[in-house]
Amino acid sequence: LPGRTGSTTPSRKMVRSTQPRSMLLAAAVAQLASQSECALAGAHAPLALSQGRLGVGRAAMAMATEEIATPGRFTKTERMRSRYGGAAFQPEEGWTDAALNSGFSYEELSASVGEMLSFERGDTCDGVVLGFEPNGALVDIGVKSSAYVTLTESAIEKPSRPEEVFELGGSYTFQIISREDENGQLMLSRRRILYDEAWGAAAEILAEDKSVEATVVAVNRGGAMMSVNGLRAFLPGSHYLPGQTPPEELVGSKLSVKLLDVDRDNNRLVVSHRKALVDQTIKNMSVGSVLEGVVTAVKPYGAFIDVGGMSGLLHISQISCDHISNVESVLPLGKAIKCMVISQDKGKGRVALSTKTLEAEPGDMLKNQDKVFAEAEATAAKYQERLQAERKAREEAAQDVIFGLESVFSESGESKPAENAELPFES
């Protein structure tokens, strides 16, 4: 301010240069040129230092650069070289014939790498499990990157961990289900391979009429859902047990079943526990066996008894030694009884039953059925002994007849009849 003294603030004034503008421009150009030369010299200095430190037998690195034509100005080629030009490898002794002909050709390089496999979606391949991850497993199938199989595609029924279905280092067959991703990785499926094998096995089981073990998964009004070799199957309530439907307590248990229908196109698989029981019962059944059963139907000519899942006929003439006029009065519907097998046809699945043979005294089935059923096994054993004795007596009688005929022929001097000749029995 005017009149103030001792102020420390310097006065700000514009200083105008007295030199001509052309001289200032020339000085700026010279300074830029010197800076460019210093930059080039500095770029070559570390390289020279590194070359001095390299020992004999090591390769030297040379900067692939050239002199700048006009200091302070780059051409397009020089600018590209300064941006992308790097260090180039150069042997210390230079590129001689020995260095060029090192004895390792492109053909040898290709042979050392080997043939790289290539797969398309839908192809099958064999792979070795390399490692496990929380959601799947890494598999080596012979390509440049390891393939991957998820938990969902590891088995027909999804496991909780890959270790449950795979072994580390184990070899398995997979199906390719995807193309390579950006990392060159393929997705695999073990489930589809097992799915095809399971349906093929089901068709063979049906053709051979074999029994198979199945697990009960769920129970509903119509029956039960089963798992047969990983495939979902349906068990109708009528094919569980006669007059019964599968209870809730059956979930998780295993049952022996036979296949009734295998339709892969419609994804339908129907099984029967009752049929499996029938076949097992027929195999273990023999004439003279005592079985427990339930009356399932009453007819004028007899009653049908369910024994071990199969139905047998108890004819009215085989109920008791005494005369019966009304079958239902003796064997009401739903009554549990014991009966003896007197004949069977395993091919047709037919069984003829009898309670008359279990009577200790004629008419016990009409007088005291509880006694008949309580002593059924003991009575059946006595009945078998009686049959054996009668059979033995018949055989001995036949032998006596044969010996008697031989003595008659020997006394008369006539020739003995041939073995296969008919004996002169009276009709």
Side-chain angles (χ1 to χ4, degrees), residues 273-293:
H273 177 54
R274 180 176 180 177
K275 187 177 180 181
L277 288 179
V278 168
D279 289 352
Q280 189 65 30
T281 303
I282 290 178
K283 289 180 181 179
N284 299 331
M285 185 183 298
S286 61
V287 176
S289 302
V290 177
L291 306 175
E292 295 182 357

Side-chain angles (χ1 to χ4, degrees), residues 199-223:
W199 277 109
E204 292 181 2
I205 293 172
L206 178 63
E208 298 175 2
D209 195 26
K210 292 182 178 179
S211 296
V212 64
E213 194 175 65
T215 304
V216 181
V217 178
V219 174
N220 51 38
R221 284 186 177 182

Side-chain angles (χ1 to χ4, degrees), residues 10-11 13 21 52 82 85 184 246 272 289 302 339 349 398 420-421:
S11 59
K13 296 182 180 180
R21 184 176 298 180
S82 66
S272 172
S289 302
C339 51
N420 296 330

Side-chain angles (χ1 to χ4, degrees), residues 34-44:
S34 63
Q35 291 177 356
S36 300
E37 293 176 359
C38 291
L40 291 174
H44 286 278

Side-chain angles (χ1 to χ4, degrees), residues 37-63:
E37 293 176 359
C38 291
L40 291 174
H44 286 278
L47 182 59
L49 181 61
S50 62
Q51 289 176 351
R53 293 178 179 176
L54 291 175
V56 179
R58 293 189 178 182
M61 303 298 293
M63 184 69 72

Side-chain angles (χ1 to χ4, degrees), residues 121-415:
R121 183 185 297 177
D123 293 344
T124 57
C125 62
D126 293 332
V128 178
V129 178
L130 299 176
F132 299 128
E133 293 187 356
N135 296 322
L138 294 172
V139 183
D140 179 19
I141 59 174
V143 295
K144 58 184 179 181
S145 298
S146 58
Y148 190 74
V149 54
T150 61
L151 286 177
T152 305
E153 296 295 334
S154 296
I156 298 178
E157 297 179 353
K158 181 181 177 181
S160 57
R161 300 174 58 191
E163 292 89 337
E164 297 177 4
V165 293
F166 294 124
E167 292 183 2
L168 194 63
S171 179
Y172 303 91
T173 303
F174 299 91
Q175 183 177 357
I176 310 295
I177 60 174
S178 72
R179 295 187 178 91
E180 292 184 355
D181 58 9
E182 61 275 7
N183 298 321
Q185 191 174 61
L186 293 169
M187 301 299 292
L188 305 178
S189 173
R190 176 71 177 159
R191 181 185 63 86
R192 301 188 184 185
I193 299 294
L194 297 176
Y195 190 76
D196 294 340
E197 293 177 355
W199 277 109
E204 292 181 2
I205 293 172
L206 178 63
E208 298 175 2
D209 195 26
K210 292 182 178 179
S211 296
V212 64
E213 194 175 65
T215 304
V216 181
V217 178
V219 174
N220 51 38
R221 284 186 177 182
M225 297 301 300
M226 313 288 292
S227 176
V228 181
N229 295 331
L231 300 176
R232 285 298 182 96
F234 178 63
L235 172 66
S238 59
H239 282 272
Y240 172 57
L241 288 176
Q244 301 182 35
T245 57
E248 290 288 345
E249 295 76 13
L250 206 62
V251 176
S253 60
K254 296 183 180 296
L255 297 176
S256 177
V257 298
K258 280 205 166 187
L259 306 185
L260 299 179
D261 186 18
V262 177
D263 188 352
R264 179 176 179 177
D265 295 335
N266 296 320
N267 196 26
R268 184 174 61 206
L269 188 62
V270 184
V271 299
S272 172
H273 177 54
R274 180 176 180 177
K275 187 177 180 181
L277 288 179
V278 168
D279 289 352
Q280 189 65 30
T281 303
I282 290 178
K283 289 180 181 179
N284 299 331
M285 185 183 298
S286 61
V287 176
S289 302
V290 177
L291 306 175
E292 295 182 357
V294 178
V295 180
T296 56
V298 178
K299 302 295 180 181
Y301 51 85
F304 287 95
I305 313 298
D306 178 78
V307 285
M310 65 181 301
S311 182
L313 175 62
L314 177 58
H315 196 265
I316 190 172
S317 63
Q318 291 294 331
I319 296 177
S320 177
C321 293
D322 290 354
H323 175 72
I324 297 176
S325 57
N326 187 2
V327 177
E328 191 171 4
S329 63
V330 181
L331 297 174
L333 191 66
K335 183 177 180 57
I337 67 170
K338 288 184 178 181
C339 51
M340 178 188 287
V341 178
I342 57 175
S343 67
Q344 62 176 341
D345 187 346
K346 293 185 178 181
K348 296 181 180 180
R350 296 177 180 177
V351 179
L353 306 174
S354 173
T355 55
K356 180 174 69 175
T357 55
L358 301 179
E359 291 181 325
E361 297 292 336
D364 281 349
M365 277 297 295
L366 303 180
K367 302 171 185 177
N368 191 353
Q369 292 187 6
D370 294 338
K371 178 185 176 182
V372 174
F373 300 146
E375 301 175 355
E377 286 77 10
T379 307
K382 294 178 182 179
Y383 179 78
Q384 291 296 329
E385 293 176 359
R386 188 167 65 250
L387 290 181
Q388 290 291 342
E390 293 176 357
R391 186 180 299 109
K392 187 176 181 180
R394 287 195 299 267
E395 291 177 355
E396 292 176 352
Q399 290 292 335
D400 293 340
V401 171
I402 294 174
F403 292 151
L405 291 175
E406 289 180 350
S407 62
V408 170
F409 284 117
S410 62
E411 290 176 359
S412 61
E414 297 181 4
S415 61

